[in-house]
Amino acid sequence: MELVVTNAVASVGPAYSSRPEDIGWFILALPLFASLAIALFLHRNRTLTLFFSVGGVVAAFLLSWVLFFTFGVTGLKAVPSPFPWFHAGGLNVNLGLAVDGLSTVMLLVVTGVSALVQFYSTAYMRDDRGFARFFASLSFFTFSMLGIVLSDNLVMMFVFWELVGFSSYLLIGFWFEREAAADAAKKAFLTNRLGDFGFLLGIILVWSLTGNVQFDELAAKLKADPNALGVWSSVVGLLIFCGAMGKSAQFPLHVWLPDAMEGPTPVSALIHAATMVAAGVYLLCRAFFLFQATTAWPAALAFLGSISALDIIAVIGGGTALLAALIAIQQNDIKRILAYSTLSQLGYMVMAVGVGGPDAAMYHLTTHAGFKALLFLGAGSVIHACHHEQDIWKMGGLGRKLPVTFRTFVIGTAALAGFPLFTSGFYSKDAILVASVRHGHPILFGLGVLIASMTTFYMVRLVIVAFLGRSRSSSAEHAHESPIQMTWPLVVLAIPSIGLAWLPLGQYLTEHFFGSRVAVEEGGLFGPFNHAPLAATFGTGAIIFGAWAAIATYWNAESDPLPRSLAFWSRVLRNRFYFDEIYEALFIPIQDGLAAVCGWVDRWVMSGLLVRGVHGTTELAGRALRMVQTGNLQTYTFLFVGGVALIILIAL
């Protein structure tokens, strides 16, 4: 295969002689090989299972650094010749890899977090009887997500998209003997199929309108002819967004993500930080050129007027962020608090894409992967130390007993809240607020500031209740620090939670998307205050107010005071606005009714009238003919005489 390399910004750039697609294929193949080897040959050998699983993803992480320094830092873009896959009618689909600044950053996120999660799991899952099955599934999950990152066309991405859904089903339902885990796996799988159906329709529509599914070729075609999608441009954008709505759990398909906590905690960390939920935001950023062309509606939707698909996406993202933040305030399960936090932050990212800031969305996705993995693995350390207790009101005083977990958890909390100047979350969240102001969305800016305050409130609440004060249960009283295999990844993840603030990551992503360095963090740590003082000041004020409110409410509290003061609304928040109950009341009767109709048609029309009817008619005819052909000479003579008599009778 010949390889051509062009500059990411300029149309013509220097040539490069290596074969980055070969490195990309190695990165993709390593976790797949590990998964198959463990499942087929090594499931009885724990040592080799760990060697292949952890070693495979660590090797993929190191190779990802090679690609990043070759193409990310230098601004080059590899354009390999893909393998022909299949041809159907006018649809030509190839197997090729997208190696550029965006994919190399995402490769580092996926492989880096996956490596730490797998190392952490060596201790967390040590005594589980499904040890080998867990690591085989985890490696396959990583392979599926890497396939999404490296896909250079929509069809190839959709294949890996479905593999991610299958992998999540295996891991969320890993403890399938527990009914709650089995139900959560089915819920996640079926909910995502709804979004994926819309995604598939979007792919079909894109191909029917343009005759192409390759990202680069589609981008070039839409740049040359912005009206190539015609009146269907906005519909295409929303259908593609359906896929992101399912994977990144945006309203109204958000209900599966909190229940995914039924899987092992390392799975939760991987899903919430670097794989499944990140896939939706990555899709929006990778295909952002499609959303820039969403300016028209077909006649049936003409009433939407000047509202674009990006406007709808921004509103859904902002609404999901607010909804999840409200629910998180009254959750008591440590993993569910973090799950709704993920929902809220994903809403932030989707809102950023909707206001025209894919660079800000990817910036926050990257920083969020680090500190959210840190928080989930920290929660796993707490649960492990408290003998699988997850209610924060049955904890308390853990800061003294789990010093490493406590300190790293506080760092993750500060990064998630966006503590100014010293955490990566401050700069990435500020970039989203700046994008809202810069592109003329003051209401969404105000919503983002409000959500920042609420995020600080529920995370400070979690830290105060779980780690400070006195122990509220025997499990908390006898808690002790987790083994080094679990604490070491926490320390490692604490580094990017702070250290990414010192790197020009925002500038890098802005240059990738827009070809210019205008990111808000220019000017060092005080860049946001110098270049966008309004967003930085309001964001900092929101954090201070949220922290003050949480301290004033929960310091030395023996129980949650909000249920007494908020009464009805507290109950609504604890029950997650009753979305599951509403869906069950509205959609399950419809589903059951349709199933009953289909069952009746299948039983009486298809099986009864058509299948059994044809079968019965044939059988009766056969029985009648069998009665005629008896082989008895007297019967034949009788029938002959009877036939002659009948003919004579008719003739006369």
Side-chain angles (χ1 to χ4, degrees), residues 394-417:
K394 294 181 181 179
M395 297 177 185
L398 296 178
R400 299 184 300 274
K401 302 178 183 299
L402 286 70
V404 176
T405 300
F406 171 58
R407 291 165 188 163
T408 54
F409 200 92
V410 168
I411 292 173
T413 296
L416 177 59

Side-chain angles (χ1 to χ4, degrees), residues 49-112:
T49 291
L50 293 180
F51 175 79
F52 274 79
S53 186
V54 181
V57 73
V58 169
F61 177 63
L62 296 177
L63 290 174
S64 297
W65 276 109
V66 175
L67 284 186
F68 176 73
F69 281 113
T70 303
F71 295 95
V73 175
T74 61
L76 298 175
K77 180 179 180 181
V79 187
S81 300
F83 297 100
W85 186 12
F86 69 86
H87 171 77
L91 176 62
N92 297 302
V93 180
N94 300 317
L95 288 176
L97 302 185
V99 181
D100 57 12
L102 183 62
S103 62
T104 52
V105 168
M106 197 65 187
L107 284 177
L108 289 174
V109 172
V110 175
T111 56

Side-chain angles (χ1 to χ4, degrees), residues 122-139:
T122 60
Y124 193 90
M125 302 296 293
R126 179 178 53 205
D127 299 324
D128 196 285
R129 62 180 181 178
F131 186 85
R133 176 166 58 90
F134 176 82
F135 279 94
S137 301
L138 214 58
S139 293

Side-chain angles (χ1 to χ4, degrees), residues 3-10 19-21 23-24 27 63-80 96-109 146-153 157 214-217 219 282-283 285-289 362 505 508-509 511-514:
L3 174 67
V4 179
V5 178
T6 60
N7 190 275
V9 178
R19 297 166 59 90
E21 75 273 25
I23 300 176
I27 293 172
L63 290 174
S64 297
W65 276 109
V66 175
L67 284 186
F68 176 73
F69 281 113
T70 303
F71 295 95
V73 175
T74 61
L76 298 175
K77 180 179 180 181
V79 187
L97 302 185
V99 181
D100 57 12
L102 183 62
S103 62
T104 52
V105 168
M106 197 65 187
L107 284 177
L108 289 174
V109 172
L146 290 175
I148 290 178
V149 173
L150 289 170
S151 295
D152 72 341
N153 65 79
M157 178 178 280
Q214 296 288 134
F215 287 122
D216 286 347
E217 295 177 13
Y282 179 78
L283 167 64
C285 295
R286 171 60 74 187
F288 186 69
F289 59 88
M362 276 301 302
L505 179 59
Y508 168 84
L509 290 168
E511 183 175 9
H512 172 81
F513 283 101
F514 302 112

Side-chain angles (χ1 to χ4, degrees), residues 91-446:
L91 176 62
N92 297 302
V93 180
N94 300 317
L95 288 176
L97 302 185
V99 181
D100 57 12
L102 183 62
S103 62
T104 52
V105 168
M106 197 65 187
L107 284 177
L108 289 174
V109 172
V110 175
T111 56
V113 174
S114 297
L116 290 171
V117 167
Q118 292 212 21
F119 186 82
Y120 178 97
S121 301
T122 60
Y124 193 90
M125 302 296 293
R126 179 178 53 205
D127 299 324
D128 196 285
R129 62 180 181 178
F131 186 85
R133 176 166 58 90
F134 176 82
F135 279 94
S137 301
L138 214 58
S139 293
F140 191 77
F141 199 11
T142 303
F143 157 74
S144 303
M145 184 62 198
L146 290 175
I148 290 178
V149 173
L150 289 170
S151 295
D152 72 341
N153 65 79
L154 284 166
V155 174
M156 182 177 173
M157 178 178 280
F158 185 78
V159 172
F160 284 103
W161 197 266
E162 295 305 301
L163 289 178
V164 164
F166 170 69
S167 304
S168 67
Y169 173 78
L170 294 178
L171 287 167
I172 294 171
F174 179 76
W175 289 319
F176 56 86
E177 64 275 6
R178 289 167 29 189
E179 186 177 359
D183 289 343
K186 289 184 287 187
K187 185 176 183 179
F189 188 82
L190 294 174
T191 304
N192 273 273
R193 298 292 74 72
L194 294 175
D196 294 353
F197 179 67
F199 185 21
L200 179 60
L201 291 180
I203 295 173
I204 294 172
L205 192 55
V206 167
W207 169 72
S208 65
L209 294 171
T210 64
N212 208 314
V213 292
Q214 296 288 134
F215 287 122
D216 286 347
E217 295 177 13
L218 282 171
K221 187 164 189 172
L222 289 173
K223 184 177 181 180
D225 180 13
N227 296 318
L229 298 175
V231 297
W232 295 99
S233 59
S234 293
V235 174
V236 165
L238 291 181
L239 288 174
I240 297 296
F241 174 62
C242 283
M245 187 185 294
K247 283 290 186 290
S248 290
Q250 297 299 288
F251 175 85
L253 301 182
H254 66 285
V255 292
W256 70 268
L257 188 57
D259 289 344
M261 298 304 95
E262 294 295 337
T265 298
V267 172
S268 302
L270 197 56
I271 288 177
H272 286 252
T275 51
M276 190 166 179
V277 298
V281 177
Y282 179 78
L283 167 64
L284 297 180
C285 295
R286 171 60 74 187
F288 186 69
F289 59 88
L290 287 174
F291 300 98
Q292 289 177 301
T294 56
T295 57
W297 297 97
L301 299 173
F303 64 90
L304 292 172
S306 60
I307 297 175
S308 68
L310 283 177
D311 293 330
I312 296 174
I313 291 170
V315 170
I316 291 176
T320 303
L322 177 62
L323 175 73
L326 285 169
I327 296 174
I329 289 174
Q330 280 295 276
Q331 297 302 303
N332 296 325
D333 185 306
I334 187 172
K335 288 176 66 175
R336 285 191 178 272
I337 294 172
L338 296 178
Y340 280 105
S341 167
T342 300
L343 269 178
S344 185
Q345 298 306 303
L346 289 169
Y348 250 118
M349 301 172 205
V350 171
M351 184 180 76
V353 174
V355 300
D359 53 336
M362 276 301 302
Y363 189 12
H364 197 53
L365 184 153
T366 305
T367 60
H368 177 264
F371 55 72
K372 185 49 64 71
L374 168 59
L375 289 170
F376 263 107
L377 295 184
S381 179
V382 169
I383 295 168
H384 179 270
C386 293
H387 307 287
H388 299 285
E389 178 59 66
Q390 296 184 201
D391 189 341
I392 60 173
W393 290 101
K394 294 181 181 179
M395 297 177 185
L398 296 178
R400 299 184 300 274
K401 302 178 183 299
L402 286 70
V404 176
T405 300
F406 171 58
R407 291 165 188 163
T408 54
F409 200 92
V410 168
I411 292 173
T413 296
L416 177 59
F419 189 83
L421 302 183
F422 299 107
T423 65
S424 59
F426 169 70
Y427 295 91
S428 58
K429 191 174 292 186
D430 181 78
I432 295 176
L433 296 178
V434 170
S436 301
V437 175
R438 181 175 294 156
H439 296 284
H441 295 275
I443 296 177
L444 292 176
F445 169 77

